[in-house]
Amino acid sequence: MTDTHSTGPFIAAIDQGTTSSRCIVFDRDGRIVSVDQKEHEQIFPKPGWVEHNATEIWENVQEVVAGAISKAKITSADVKAIGITNQRETTLLWDKNTGEPVHNAIVWQDTRTDALCRELGRNVGQDRFRRETGLPLASYFAGPKIRWLLDNVEGLRERAEAGEILFGTMDSWVIWNLTGGPNGGVHVTDVTNASRTLLMNLHNLDWDERILSSMEIPAAVLPEIRSSAEVYGTTADGVLAGVPVASALGDQQAALFGQTCFSEGEAKSTYGTGTFLLMNTGDKPVNSYNGLLTTVGYRIGDQKPVYALEGSIAVTGSLVQWMRDQMGLINSAAEIETLASSVEDNGGAYFVPAFSGLFAPYWRDDARGVIAGLTRYVTKAHIARAVLEATAWQTREIVDAMTKDSGVELTALKVDGGMTSNNLLMQTLSDVLDAPVVRPMVAETTCLGAAYAAGLAVGFWPDTDALRANWRRAAEWTPRMDADVRDREYKNWLKAVQRTMGWIEDEE
Amino acid sequence: MARTIQSLERAAAMLRLLAGGERRLGLSDIASSLGLAKGTAHGILRTLQQEGFVEQDEASGRYQLGAELLRLGNSYLDVHELRARALVWTDDLARSSGESVYLGVLHQQGVLIVHHVFRPDDSRQVLEVGAMQPLHSTALGKVLSAYDPVAHSEAAEAAREAFTPRTVTSMAGFESVLDLTRARGWGSDVEETWEGVASIAAPIHNRRRMPVGAVGVTGAVERVCKEGELRSDLVAAVRDCARAVSRDLGASRF
Ligand SMILES: Nc1ncnc2c1ncn2[C@@H]1O[C@H](COP(=O)(O)OP(=O)(O)OP(=O)(O)O)[C@@H](O)[C@H]1O
Ligand SMILES: [Mg+2]
């Protein structure tokens, strides 16, 4: 840690992510004082299934909180509030009286509810609940995962109906445990996380009874839906005992907040395991006709909710991990840039990583990954280049959809997340978007957003204008690609995408 | 031909022997394969073992190649990895110093900029990743030359061009600048490369304390200096940043 920090007070943010849990302590300028992080196990019981052990996650959260506080050399008295952000949609049911999970959490990437979702679509199809929820019926979201647990865990439905079982995404699980668990823990979720369940009505921000009954989910399991920035309760024990828990935001919405996209038309794109581009659409939910999601951006206390359009890409950083772990072509994620930089172009190869179908803008469960355009000429370096280009072209597709749905032309793209340390990728992104790409000075925008929301809730920061003043440009990439090259490459990419579709035929 | 050192030749022969064919060998096999007395062979093996180049299996007493040899081959640090590890700390340095931050490594006869963080004002700036800077006159270059012997010999052999009247070009002058850099643990450049511009840099070490790069701030001389001296708070912030990155690369405390 640097020694040049003010003496506090501070805000702590917990980021319960897909691969790890982190805690970061921020000072009033939004500067990082300390970080602690711990990975948890990824459990793959069957192809397409992904689970987490929620008990392990809660232990890790406690550990990283203690770690970050001790690295910052501060005590609970210096911490004004705790903010929570989390991997979205990952679904857990637990026993209200013992605090024991009834099953591992089912992770957002898990595809076990594919068939269930088709069945729930009945004769209407994927868009059956889109008008109410803003979402297509897809295995990505929480509602069908709850239903699967109720159907498949012995005796669970009866216990749920008797009011003994609680449902939550990771925000609810962490807040419930922080505030006392079985001894008075508060059972809440925030609007952004609730908007990813397929169970919340976007217009009144309440659970939708008609959908609950179609999905056969008892209302007794559901948490109370609260705003993203308010005091839900106080920490019961541990190093931060007595500190208010004052925000909750899904990780992508937290990044939108951390990037201070507070005005209509402002957008950010986060490059982690997957990539998620969110655009603030103000106080109105905008319907998408181009494969985007309509979701809640955030809601501060009793102010009006702010909505967002979202383009979700399932596989970006995880494709780089796949190149490292499954293919063994690189030793670290960063090395993909070294390998890719050893050639001038993709050598004619295009890599569409539809590992678990395609998310936005296609929402195709039947797609699978493809490397197209192979010849004897293609080397592993060309493939590395195609891997990075895949992230860029997928972004281009959701940006195009965003322009069509919102009518807002993108003037610059604000980016964050682990992949933004890849200079070649950021340049490629700017080239294929034909727009500047801008990285802010705090790459950890997810935690920063949760900290900002918590800080607003307790008056640590006065208003969003004060937060906006903290935003600083750390780097900017500008387009260098010729228009005819861009057009040709985009056409080739779209051709490759077509070749992924229809690979999986209805198994039943 | 120059004289060679017999015990080094014998050690090399032993490593080749352990690398080929049967991987674990007993002392007598090694001694007889190389035509050495057992005592001589044992002395060499023990030395190699101390250096980590050879390991002895506890149960059988046989020898095999050590892990250190593998590490020697893989010790190269990918510059993109270096950038990824440095990101959080360089952002914070730009933020706290109010100046632009550069991360450089030795490349051919100069400093290759592998990471650049903009000065946190709202002015238009151009990303300088991929640019080259001279070794002998910049703060980054001086730090690399002071700590990395390869950089030192590159700088010593190069024609040290005078960019400004303040550029140090003589070999003796350059060496004393490097001595000072090592003595205080950081390097500087006050209008030696560009008029009106000053910088401060410090070394980044990997987990085996090898210098792998340098990080520094660059800005207008009237901001970076105060009353004719480099600002001590900036020096402290740059050194803090270099230490934080080194720690993330696994270097022990120093
Ligand atoms: N230099 C790099 N080049 C390309 N990809 C990278 C690079 N560095 C990291 N990545 C990728 O970025 C991802 C990690 O980024 P980040 O920490 O933002 O992930 P995350 O999705 O937020 O994780 P979590 O879900 O646990 O919150 C990994 O998938 C990794 O492969
Ligand atoms: Mg994350």
Side-chain angles (χ1 to χ4, degrees):
Chain A
M1 300 315 100
T2 56
D3 309 314
T4 45
H5 281 283
S6 63
T7 51
F10 304 100
I11 301 281
I14 297 170
D15 175 3
Q16 200 304 295
T18 310
T19 53
S20 69
S21 304
R22 299 170 222 202
C23 179
I24 301 186
V25 175
F26 292 93
D27 70 9
R28 200 180 289 275
D29 296 332
R31 282 178 60 198
I32 293 179
V33 180
S34 68
V35 187
D36 201 29
Q37 178 169 0
K38 192 163 185 205
E39 294 200 358
H40 55 264
E41 194 189 349
Q42 304 294 318
I43 304 166
F44 305 111
K46 291 186 186 182
W49 291 28
V50 189
E51 299 181 354
H52 290 160
N53 176 341
T55 307
E56 179 190 4
I57 284 182
W58 170 236
E59 279 163 8
N60 288 0
V61 166
Q62 291 170 279
E63 224 173 279
V64 296
V65 168
I69 297 302
S70 107
K71 283 186 193 173
K73 303 192 185 77
I74 58 176
T75 68
S76 61
D78 304 314
V79 181
K80 288 295 155 226
I82 307 175
I84 313 292
T85 177
N86 57 291
Q87 51 169 326
R88 306 175 304 174
E89 300 99 10
T90 296
T91 298
L92 184 71
L93 293 177
W94 70 93
D95 186 308
K96 187 183 196 163
N97 300 308
T98 64
E100 291 289 326
V102 301
H103 189 275
N104 279 335
I106 303 182
V107 177
W108 59 275
Q109 300 143 320
D110 189 295
T111 56
R112 78 184 66 184
T113 56
D114 271 4
L116 176 61
C117 286
R118 273 196 300 278
E119 189 190 311
L120 288 168
R122 292 212 306 237
N123 47 353
V124 185
Q126 217 172 26
D127 286 337
R128 182 171 172 207
F129 303 125
R130 195 187 264 272
R131 201 157 35 91
E132 296 87 344
T133 65
L135 312 173
L137 253 169
S139 60
Y140 176 31
F141 304 107
K145 297 184 202 288
I146 304 179
R147 164 70 178 271
W148 187 94
L149 287 166
L150 292 170
D151 286 351
N152 288 278
V153 178
E154 184 75 33
L156 190 59
R157 181 170 289 282
E158 292 69 37
R159 290 165 67 197
E161 276 160 6
E164 292 165 24
I165 299 296
L166 302 179
F167 151 75
T169 38
M170 288 298 123
D171 53 321
S172 305
W173 173 242
V174 170
I175 294 171
W176 188 77
N177 279 295
L178 271 177
T179 54
N183 308 310
V186 294
H187 187 217
V188 295
T189 188
D190 92 298
V191 277
T192 67
N193 279 292
S195 76
R196 318 295 296 188
T197 56
L198 264 171
L199 305 175
M200 188 187 82
N201 188 305
L202 269 184
H203 308 277
N204 62 14
L205 305 181
D206 206 352
W207 303 118
D208 187 300
E209 275 170 33
R210 202 179 61 84
I211 301 177
L212 288 176
S213 72
S214 320
M215 285 207 205
E216 295 167 35
I217 294 172
V221 301
L222 300 173
E224 186 188 342
I225 301 174
R226 303 276 285 269
S227 80
S228 320
E230 63 176 281
V231 175
Y232 310 117
T234 44
T235 310
D237 45 30
V239 288
L240 290 183
V243 178
V245 182
S247 77
L249 288 152
D251 53 6
Q252 298 307 320
Q253 281 87 344
L256 186 75
F257 210 83
Q259 286 266 26
T260 66
C261 294
F262 300 130
S263 302
E264 193 173 330
E266 287 189 300
K268 67 87 208 180
S269 189
T270 302
Y271 293 86
T273 308
T275 286
F276 302 85
L277 195 164
L278 272 74
M279 179 186 277
N280 181 326
T281 60
D283 55 15
K284 275 179 293 298
V286 173
N287 290 328
S288 173
Y289 300 96
N290 295 286
L292 303 178
L293 310 178
T294 309
T295 200
V296 181
Y298 55 89
R299 180 180 195 176
I300 303 170
D302 47 21
Q303 296 176 23
K304 278 192 192 168
V306 170
Y307 292 91
L309 272 174
E310 169 175 324
S312 334
I313 309 170
V315 178
T316 55
S318 54
L319 179 58
V320 176
Q321 283 171 337
W322 181 86
M323 289 285 281
R324 182 192 64 195
D325 302 336
Q326 258 92 332
M327 294 296 104
L329 289 173
I330 45 176
N331 291 310
S332 71
E335 251 184 65
I336 191 91
E337 187 173 353
T338 313
L339 186 54
S341 301
S342 67
V343 287
E344 289 294 310
D345 57 31
N346 60 20
Y350 299 82
F351 196 154
V352 188
F355 290 171
S356 40
L358 288 168
F359 277 20
Y362 303 100
W363 300 102
R364 290 283 294 254
D365 289 341
D366 62 343
R368 286 299 179 268
V370 154
I371 304 178
L374 291 180
T375 60
R376 270 300 286 274
Y377 175 75
V378 170
T379 64
K380 61 181 178 182
H382 294 118
I383 301 291
R385 204 139 184 135
V387 161
L388 297 181
E389 289 178 359
T391 294
W393 288 121
Q394 286 179 282
T395 307
R396 169 70 190 262
E397 289 189 81
I398 55 177
V399 165
D400 285 356
M402 200 65 82
T403 306
K404 285 187 207 146
D405 276 336
S406 69
V408 178
E409 194 87 41
L410 200 75
T411 49
L413 184 68
K414 285 182 173 180
V415 298
D416 52 66
M419 291 183 97
T420 57
S421 74
N422 190 315
N423 194 64
L424 178 61
L425 173 62
M426 293 301 108
Q427 182 59 53
T428 307
L429 194 54
S430 173
D431 287 343
V432 312
L433 296 178
D434 196 19
V437 167
V438 179
R439 182 178 80 78
M441 221 157 247
V442 176
E444 293 282 353
T445 50
T446 303
C447 269
L448 183 63
Y452 277 172
L456 284 179
V458 299
F460 185 75
W461 287 293
D463 51 30
T464 52
D465 287 345
L467 302 178
R468 206 191 273 279
N470 275 343
W471 194 94
R472 294 278 181 286
R473 181 188 290 115
E476 176 167 345
W477 293 265
T478 48
R480 290 186 199 150
M481 188 182 260
D482 289 339
D484 52 337
V485 176
R486 176 163 46 240
D487 294 345
R488 182 193 70 214
E489 291 296 306
Y490 195 16
K491 212 172 122 213
N492 288 342
W493 164 261
L494 292 172
K495 241 166 36 185
V497 170
Q498 289 306 319
R499 286 174 172 57
T500 65
M501 295 182 191
W503 181 258
I504 300 289
E505 302 184 13
D506 240 341
E507 315 105 287
E508 290 310 301
Chain B
M1 202 176 109
R3 258 186 66 212
T4 55
I5 299 170
Q6 193 186 34
S7 55
L8 278 180
E9 287 173 342
R10 286 172 170 171
M14 265 179 206
L15 292 176
R16 280 196 202 96
L17 188 65
L18 289 167
E22 205 184 333
R23 299 217 33 222
R24 283 184 184 173
L25 294 171
L27 174 61
S28 34
D29 295 333
I30 295 173
S32 66
S33 301
L34 300 178
L36 298 175
K38 266 191 176 183
T40 314
H42 188 242
I44 295 172
L45 281 167
R46 223 179 38 222
T47 311
L48 287 172
Q49 199 180 346
Q50 258 167 28
E51 295 295 331
F53 292 161
V54 158
E55 285 165 9
Q56 191 176 18
D57 182 60
E58 277 190 31
S60 64
R62 287 163 174 262
Y63 293 91
Q64 64 190 55
L65 292 183
E68 185 61 20
L69 275 178
L70 274 179
R71 270 189 229 121
L72 263 187
N74 291 331
S75 63
Y76 166 74
L77 175 71
D78 188 279
V79 296
H80 302 113
E81 183 75 27
L82 178 60
R83 182 199 300 131
R85 303 291 189 96
L87 204 72
V88 171
W89 308 116
T90 46
D91 276 0
D92 195 57
L93 178 58
R95 192 97 194 245
S96 67
S97 65
E99 300 297 341
S100 41
V101 173
Y102 295 87
L103 182 66
V105 300
L106 174 69
H107 180 68
Q108 294 168 351
Q109 286 81 46
V111 182
L112 172 67
I113 301 302
V114 296
H115 183 47
H116 170 199
V117 185
F118 289 171
R119 191 173 58 247
D121 53 23
D122 283 330
S123 63
R124 281 273 148 228
Q125 295 162 69
V126 175
L127 205 60
E128 289 173 48
V129 172
M132 294 289 293
Q133 291 186 359
L135 277 172
H136 68 281
S137 64
T138 60
L140 293 173
K142 288 177 198 173
V143 165
L144 291 174
S145 305
Y147 288 90
D148 179 349
V150 181
H152 179 264
S153 67
E154 291 293 352
E157 283 163 23
R160 289 175 298 279
E161 191 184 332
F163 300 112
T164 76
R166 299 185 58 153
T167 314
V168 175
T169 56
S170 76
M171 196 57 216
F174 184 56
E175 288 296 0
S176 66
V177 166
L178 298 187
D179 286 340
L180 175 65
T181 303
R182 277 184 292 262
R184 59 189 189 178
W186 53 278
S188 63
D189 164 7
V190 180
E191 298 192 272
E192 292 169 58
T193 314
W194 302 282
E195 299 281 359
V197 174
S199 19
I200 301 166
I204 296 171
H205 298 281
N206 69 5
R207 81 185 163 73
R208 283 184 296 154
R209 308 239 27 210
M210 302 291 288
V212 291
V215 65
V217 296
T218 296
V221 68
E222 60 273 17
R223 289 195 309 263
V224 176
C225 298
K226 203 163 107 191
E227 290 155 10
E229 298 280 330
L230 288 150
R231 274 168 51 196
S232 59
D233 59 325
L234 282 186
V235 171
V238 168
R239 300 187 72 193
D240 270 351
C241 175
R243 271 189 222 113
V245 178
S246 301
R247 261 201 305 275
D248 265 7
L249 293 172
S252 49
R253 283 202 69 84
F254 53 94

